[in-house]
Amino acid sequence: MTVKLIHDAALAEVKEHSETSASFIIKPLYYGYGNTLGNSLRRVLLSSIKGAAITSFSIEGTTHEFTAIPGIREDVVDIMLNLKNIRFKCHTDSPVELELEIKGSAQKAKDGDPRVTASDIKLTSDVEIANPNQVICHIDDPKYTLKMRFVVETGRGYLTVEKSGEERLHGDMIALDAVFTPVLRVRYNVENTRVGQDTNLQQLTITVDTDGTLTPREAFQEAAAILVNQYSALAGDTSVESAPAPGTQEEQDDTSLMVPVEDLGLSARTANALVNNDIKTVRDLVVLSDSDLKELKGFGSKALDEVKAKLTEFKV
């Protein structure tokens, strides 16, 4: 069975704020679909993107987490909290074992600060660390040698300490609950938009912040793929055929949309503002929402009202 839709939503724009933050603009959407799609993507982004984290560790001379270590400023519980904040990128699905060994005098000789950071972990070719400056602990005794072992695993979502303890590779290690997700924050905003004469549509803007182990675009695409796979399994033989929205490629053949904006009878000021913003035809104009038009350089609210009135006369 085939169901036909009126509008074909698309990823209209990607705004990259930094290497770890980007906004994705999706439009046009049926009214109400902005929240439906935004909430679904947000939940998947926060819970289901693959990542890596420490699931167990050991410190030579300790047997459990409720221990104070002579020569170390922090106790084991504080060290556990610091280990959870280390962000790993794994190139294998198998568990990776890492080591750290450093003497207090050698550490203090670096810059006078006895801190031990993630950069002191001896890495393999299968693992990278996105935040090497993350502090693990401080060695106050220059004669003390800190020896640690770690197990880094890949996964999705959250692994409880009970589950981690059951599945740990080495019984002498301390289990650690792990947050695998590399996505730190997801926000979405839904606005009204228009396509041609149809004003009952929405635009979704979803902003993704990651920890640096993958890009926001990679996280966004993985979340979309997860949703597609889940819903495809439920759809059976039913498919959806999307018709192009007004202003898309198939409607661009309509000669009425190729009319220059100068021929709409707008004031010289408004027409010039449109042309200066590279809006030269009616087709270029009708795909823009009111908010898009307001953001144009030299285009005010009076110009917006004038354009809307002319488009109504033009029957677009």
Side-chain angles (χ1 to χ4, degrees):
M1 181 175 68
T2 300
V3 180
K4 191 162 187 176
L5 292 180
I6 297 175
H7 294 296
D8 187 9
L11 181 59
E13 185 180 358
V14 178
K15 296 181 179 179
E16 295 184 350
H17 311 299
S18 68
E19 292 182 356
T20 59
S21 180
S23 294
F24 303 87
I25 301 173
I26 305 166
K27 64 179 182 180
L29 295 166
Y30 278 113
Y31 190 83
Y33 273 61
N35 286 306
T36 300
L37 188 57
N39 191 48
S40 298
L41 283 168
R42 182 178 182 274
R43 290 177 68 90
V44 173
L45 280 163
L46 290 174
S47 67
S48 304
I49 305 303
K50 189 176 182 179
I54 296 174
T55 56
S56 60
F57 73 100
S58 68
I59 304 174
E60 188 176 86
T62 65
T63 56
H64 55 82
E65 59 266 40
F66 304 108
T67 304
I69 311 171
I72 298 294
R73 186 180 306 173
E74 294 84 357
D75 59 25
V76 177
V77 172
D78 291 329
I79 293 174
M80 290 172 67
L81 295 174
N82 291 335
L83 293 179
K84 292 180 185 180
N85 291 324
I86 302 177
R87 302 290 178 173
F88 291 91
K89 182 176 184 179
C90 253
H91 303 291
T92 177
D93 290 331
S94 302
V96 178
E97 297 188 44
L98 304 175
E99 295 181 350
L100 181 154
E101 181 175 345
I102 191 164
K103 191 172 182 179
S105 58
Q107 180 66 12
K108 193 171 183 179
K110 286 184 178 181
D111 56 7
D113 190 338
R115 68 182 181 277
V116 178
T117 65
S119 63
D120 295 311
I121 298 174
K122 297 175 184 176
L123 301 178
T124 69
S125 58
D126 292 323
V127 179
E128 298 176 36
I129 294 178
N131 56 338
N133 293 325
Q134 169 62 42
V135 173
I136 296 175
C137 64
H138 294 78
I139 303 178
D140 288 333
D141 183 355
K143 296 181 180 180
Y144 179 81
T145 298
L146 176 65
K147 294 182 181 180
M148 299 184 70
R149 290 187 299 148
F150 313 92
V151 174
V152 177
E153 298 184 65
T154 58
R156 301 177 190 273
Y158 177 75
L159 181 69
T160 64
V161 68
E162 291 80 12
K163 188 71 173 176
S164 179
E166 292 174 2
E167 300 179 354
R168 58 185 163 180
L169 295 180
H170 304 289
D172 62 338
M173 284 191 164
I174 300 171
L176 194 65
D177 55 332
V179 178
F180 292 112
T181 179
V183 178
L184 302 180
R185 187 183 183 195
V186 180
R187 308 173 307 281
Y188 74 87
N189 181 51
V190 179
E191 299 175 284
N192 293 329
T193 188
R194 62 171 286 175
V195 177
Q197 289 182 307
D198 195 345
T199 59
N200 194 33
L201 298 172
Q202 291 185 328
Q203 168 183 305
L204 169 66
T205 302
I206 185 163
T207 301
V208 181
D209 297 329
T210 69
D211 62 7
T213 58
L214 85 171
T215 66
R217 185 186 289 270
E218 290 171 335
F220 179 84
Q221 291 174 342
E222 184 175 340
I226 289 171
L227 286 172
V228 169
N229 289 340
Q230 290 292 319
Y231 288 124
S232 294
L234 302 176
D237 296 329
T238 301
S239 61
V240 177
E241 184 180 301
S242 298
T248 56
Q249 186 62 45
E250 291 186 27
E251 252 199 43
Q252 289 175 7
D253 296 331
D254 187 345
T255 56
S256 66
L257 295 179
M258 298 304 294
V259 174
V261 293
E262 294 95 328
D263 294 347
L264 285 176
L266 299 168
S267 66
R269 182 186 181 91
T270 301
N272 289 335
L274 292 172
V275 173
N276 291 338
N277 284 279
D278 203 30
I279 300 169
K280 299 178 181 179
T281 66
V282 173
R283 185 193 69 200
D284 299 331
L285 186 57
V286 296
V287 297
L288 299 177
S289 66
D290 289 359
S291 59
D292 292 333
L293 288 170
K294 288 179 181 179
E295 292 177 0
L296 298 177
K297 185 177 181 181
F299 199 89
S301 56
K302 289 185 178 180
L304 175 62
D305 293 338
E306 183 183 358
V307 165
K308 291 171 70 173
K310 288 296 180 182
L311 288 177
T312 301
E313 294 176 13
F314 198 68
K315 297 182 180 180
V316 174

